[in-house]
Amino acid sequence: DSGVTQTPKHLITATGQRVTLRCSPRSGDLSVYWYQQSLDQGLQFLIQYYNGEERAKGNILERFSAQQFPDLHSELNLSSLELGDSALYFCASSVSEGAWGNIQYFGAGTRLSVL
Amino acid sequence: GQQVMQIPQYQHVQEGEDFTTYCNSSTTLSNIQWYKQRPGGHPVFLIQLVKSGEVKKQKRLTFQFGEAKKNSSLHITATQTTDVGTYFCAANFGNEKLTFGTGTRLTIIP
């Protein structure tokens, strides 16, 4: 158990809909990262938050947004869903904001299926 | 953009054979990390390499960081069924963001 909690584990929805994925980081971790992993693909970095503020942006679509709340949990909002958004979405957390010496601990992921 | 190439994409080996995956960058890295993702699981941190030419071992796993800090490798000696999974390198180009490689999926033939 990494200590990172993601809910829900599975999500099935229809095209055009909007969903929210939730992540609770490890106790004491201030950074939260979101990744997308499509079938047989690598990890695509979406966005990073540190202590409530956006720190880095990757290949995140405009239809996607995220935020980190004062209690440090984070939510990833996906809207106007398309079939191609079906993927495994991982949240990871780390103690600090940089990549130097910073281990990322991953949650179990949310599997999103858009039908 | 900054990318790290990881090869091979897939590797099938007989149990007991060795396995190696490589990560290559065209630019110098600050440091590199390795993660393992078991089938149906999530990535788990294995190790971090920081120094030029660094070599670290974890039981049957040997991790190397190139002298120029542009490439890295993970070598598993005498693979076992528990080694099955996808191995990712994650590179830090100095911009404090980890860039993950595409991963190498290892399958073991018993």
Side-chain angles (χ1 to χ4, degrees), chain B residues 13-96:
Chain B
V13 300
Q14 292 275 352
E15 188 175 6
E17 290 183 341
D18 293 356
F19 159 79
T20 306
T21 174
Y22 301 89
C23 272
N24 298 295
S25 167
S26 59
T27 57
T28 303
L29 305 174
S30 292
N31 59 288
I32 193 163
Q33 298 178 357
W34 285 90
Y35 290 77
K36 176 184 178 181
Q37 183 177 17
R38 294 180 183 274
H42 58 274
V44 175
F45 174 81
L46 293 177
I47 209 158
Q48 175 172 266
L49 304 171
V50 175
K51 300 176 184 176
S52 168
E54 189 169 14
V55 178
K56 288 188 176 180
K57 293 191 175 186
Q58 289 179 351
K59 296 183 180 177
R60 295 177 295 104
L61 277 62
T62 302
F63 303 84
Q64 292 189 325
F65 202 9
E67 293 291 339
K69 298 182 71 173
K70 289 184 178 181
N71 54 71
S72 181
S73 65
L74 158 58
H75 179 83
I76 303 178
T77 304
T79 54
Q80 300 176 357
T81 55
T82 53
D83 296 325
V84 164
T86 301
Y87 293 85
F88 293 97
C89 62
N92 175 10
F93 288 92
N95 56 4
E96 302 306 311

Side-chain angles (χ1 to χ4, degrees), chain A residues 1-11 20-26 32-37 43 46 73-76 78 87-93 105-112, chain B residues 37 41-43:
Chain A
D1 183 10
S2 66
V4 178
T5 304
Q6 287 189 249
T7 56
K9 289 187 178 179
H10 302 277
L11 202 48
T20 297
L21 313 184
R22 184 188 168 101
C23 170
S24 293
R26 288 191 326 153
V32 170
Y33 310 79
W34 287 97
Y35 292 89
Q36 179 191 58
Q37 186 175 46
L43 289 160
L46 297 177
H73 91 271
S74 178
E75 293 181 355
L76 179 66
L78 315 176
L88 195 52
Y89 290 85
F90 285 109
C91 166
S93 74
Y105 295 88
F106 284 77
T110 293
R111 184 169 295 282
L112 173 66
Chain B
Q37 183 177 17
H42 58 274

Side-chain angles (χ1 to χ4, degrees), chain A residues 26-85:
Chain A
R26 288 191 326 153
S27 177
D29 284 359
L30 299 178
S31 264
V32 170
Y33 310 79
W34 287 97
Y35 292 89
Q36 179 191 58
Q37 186 175 46
S38 301
L39 193 63
D40 287 344
Q41 297 294 312
L43 289 160
Q44 297 297 319
F45 169 71
L46 297 177
I47 199 164
Q48 177 200 358
Y49 279 83
Y50 175 77
N51 204 20
E53 294 188 6
E54 182 183 305
R55 270 295 181 261
K57 240 178 180 178
N59 299 322
I60 187 167
L61 300 172
E62 285 192 10
R63 301 183 285 109
F64 296 0
S65 65
Q67 54 184 326
Q68 186 179 27
F69 295 87
D71 67 352
L72 300 178
H73 91 271
S74 178
E75 293 181 355
L76 179 66
N77 301 297
L78 315 176
S79 62
S80 302
L81 285 168
E82 302 175 358
L83 296 177
D85 297 326

